[in-house]
Amino acid sequence: MTPRIVFVLGTRPEIVKLAPIIRACDRAAVDYSVVHTGQHYSERLDGVFFDDLELPTPEYNLEVGSGDHAAQTGEMVTRLGEVFKRESPDVVIVQGDTNSAFAGGIVASKRDTSLAHVEAGLRSFNREMPEELNRVLVDHAAEHLFAPTDEAADRLRTEAIPEDRIEVTGNTVVDAVNQHVRLAREKSDVLADLDLQGAPFALLTAHRPGNVDEPERFQGLLDGVAQYANDRGHRVVYPIHPRSRERIDDFDLDVPDAIDCVEPLNFLDFLRLESEAAVVFTDSGGVQEETCVLGTPCVTIRESTERPETVTVGSNVLADPTPGSIADAAAEVKRGPSDWEAPFGDGHAAERILGTLGVDVPAVSGEATV
Ligand code: UDP
């Protein structure tokens, strides 16, 4: 019997990475519901993604909003308890490392419900990042741990997680990129809209508290990226997350002329820029993986990464938020060969994940690959 599935999601990267599994559920005629916690709900950060990724509107939107971690998580736990009671799922699927994943995980694991964690086994080994605690706690509560790589599976084994819970599936980010890259080339006008055709440009995303909550660090990051761009005559496009915009205003930071701040982009436009950029500067998790899949060099402005595979293959170099470190990292990543093999699987992670849960997914034809 095919299981009844509930997906819990609440942020942009969860929508992107769960979309291939949700669409595979449609192909396999699985009975499922989507619960949006509202952790980050806004039309630009979430709403447009449901259209772009051809997803159904979630059955539930809990509208918890952002705020204090404890209050936000507590509210989600209470509300998800009610939803799971009503829906009686056999399996709850959560993805990644957000408070939504943690809340969904903790409520599911206290019921007679299987908890499945997509993107299990990632570790930054930096417990100061709230995401790290969420990852560890969800991994240890889950019955199905879908590790994107062998390295991630090995990390779970070193934490004494039983072997029969672990499955290496690849990362659904590859499924998402493969399924949308051609559409992005066909449908996105972002290069013309931003006047970037024929001109080399860099792309920047930065919104992690470690980078934007301290004025000196955030200014160093902006100056470093601008200096790199000025040295090469590149423009920099910065689709700016609302929390970073707020910090720039609050701290009265100076955004150098080389950097064009634009509103957060929909997935197709962003994917188009990621695939065409000379280099991407980021502190995002998903962007490190997507650039690796797309063949675009990436500089990650963080002390550590939970995606070390990208550094090993040479698609990604870490930097501090200072001009010298950013320049060195950009030079290093551009110096290396750009024909690395992305280590995140073959783009069929969604089918593998559902297969482990007892669902047979019919194949689709005509998918583009990068
Ligand atoms: N993204 C997007 N538009 C933007 C910036 C990012 O579509 O303007 C996508 C990006 O392709 C990736 C995801 O959002 O799939 C990453 O989101 P975010 O950086 O918020 O989260 P993280 O991956 O760091 O958890």
Side-chain angles (χ1 to χ4, degrees):
M1 207 182 71
T2 56
R4 161 136 189 79
I5 296 176
V6 166
F7 293 89
V8 178
L9 48 78
T11 64
R12 170 167 79 177
E14 291 166 284
I15 303 169
V16 169
K17 290 179 176 174
L18 287 175
I21 310 176
I22 296 173
R23 284 196 306 264
C25 280
D26 282 331
R27 297 210 303 280
V30 171
D31 185 17
Y32 73 89
S33 301
V34 176
V35 184
H36 194 315
T37 62
Q39 181 175 338
H40 275 174
Y41 187 79
S42 78
E43 186 52 26
R44 274 196 172 272
L45 282 189
D46 274 324
V48 293
F49 285 74
F50 283 89
D51 292 342
D52 263 4
L53 299 167
E54 294 167 9
L55 297 176
T57 307
E59 279 78 1
Y60 298 89
N61 192 327
L62 308 183
E63 295 178 356
V64 298
S66 46
D68 171 77
H69 280 281
Q72 186 189 59
T73 311
E75 179 75 16
M76 287 183 204
V77 166
T78 309
R79 306 281 307 279
L80 285 168
E82 292 158 12
V83 173
F84 293 175
K85 206 166 173 184
R86 175 144 14 128
E87 294 283 325
S88 289
D90 301 308
V91 182
V92 168
I93 299 185
V94 299
Q95 190 280 334
D97 53 26
T98 64
N99 288 346
S100 300
F102 170 70
I106 217 67
V107 179
S109 63
K110 287 185 179 285
R111 293 174 46 93
D112 186 19
T113 304
S114 279
L115 170 64
H117 189 205
V118 176
E119 203 170 76
L122 272 61
R123 298 289 181 268
S124 67
F125 301 103
N126 176 359
R127 291 276 174 129
E128 283 180 19
M129 292 177 77
E131 294 94 338
E132 182 75 353
L133 294 176
N134 289 337
R135 285 183 196 114
V136 173
L137 293 168
V138 179
D139 278 342
H140 283 261
E143 205 170 303
H144 295 282
L145 292 105
F146 297 123
T149 62
D150 290 331
E151 287 84 342
D154 284 343
R155 263 173 250 131
L156 295 170
R157 292 183 187 109
T158 62
E159 293 178 16
I161 289 181
E163 186 64 39
D164 62 359
R165 297 186 176 200
I166 304 169
E167 193 76 38
V168 178
T169 57
N171 195 315
T172 56
V173 78
V174 184
D175 309 27
V177 169
N178 285 352
Q179 289 163 18
H180 291 88
V181 75
R182 187 173 58 197
L183 213 56
R185 284 190 199 118
E186 284 166 11
K187 282 178 58 173
S188 167
D189 294 325
V190 70
L191 294 176
D193 293 347
L194 297 178
D195 204 13
L196 291 167
Q197 276 158 324
F201 68 93
L203 180 65
L204 166 66
T205 78
H207 63 81
R208 293 242 116 64
N211 279 330
V212 305
D213 285 1
E214 275 179 44
E216 296 77 26
R217 285 179 76 86
F218 198 2
Q219 188 68 61
L221 183 155
L222 294 171
D223 290 344
V225 172
Q227 192 171 311
Y228 166 86
N230 286 332
D231 287 348
R232 282 165 183 71
H234 289 10
R235 281 171 58 200
V236 182
V237 182
Y238 183 11
I240 190 164
H241 196 280
R243 77 185 310 278
S244 311
R245 168 82 73 184
E246 250 176 63
R247 298 296 180 274
I248 287 178
D249 294 343
D250 291 350
F251 302 145
D252 200 16
L253 299 186
D254 172 34
V255 180
D257 288 343
I259 300 180
D260 293 337
C261 294
V262 299
E263 292 293 322
L265 296 167
N266 65 48
F267 186 57
L268 293 185
D269 285 346
F270 191 77
L271 205 53
R272 183 98 172 103
L273 292 187
E274 266 184 308
S275 61
E276 300 288 334
V279 57
V280 176
F281 298 95
T282 194
D283 60 8
S284 156
V287 172
Q288 295 173 58
E289 295 158 348
E290 288 167 0
T291 47
C292 184
V293 175
L294 289 162
T296 304
C298 178
V299 172
T300 297
I301 307 173
R302 278 173 39 181
E303 280 166 19
S304 57
T305 176
E306 57 294 313
R307 277 96 176 164
E309 299 89 346
T310 56
V311 177
T312 307
V313 299
S315 70
N316 188 17
V317 174
L318 302 187
D320 297 328
T322 61
S325 177
I326 289 173
D328 289 349
E332 185 181 335
V333 76
K334 297 282 286 177
R335 206 167 34 238
S338 57
D339 57 350
W340 57 76
E341 199 167 317
F344 297 116
D346 60 1
H348 293 282
E351 286 99 312
R352 239 169 251 126
I353 285 167
L354 287 176
T356 305
L357 300 175
V359 178
D360 218 5
V361 183
V364 273
S365 55
E367 250 166 39
T369 50
V370 180

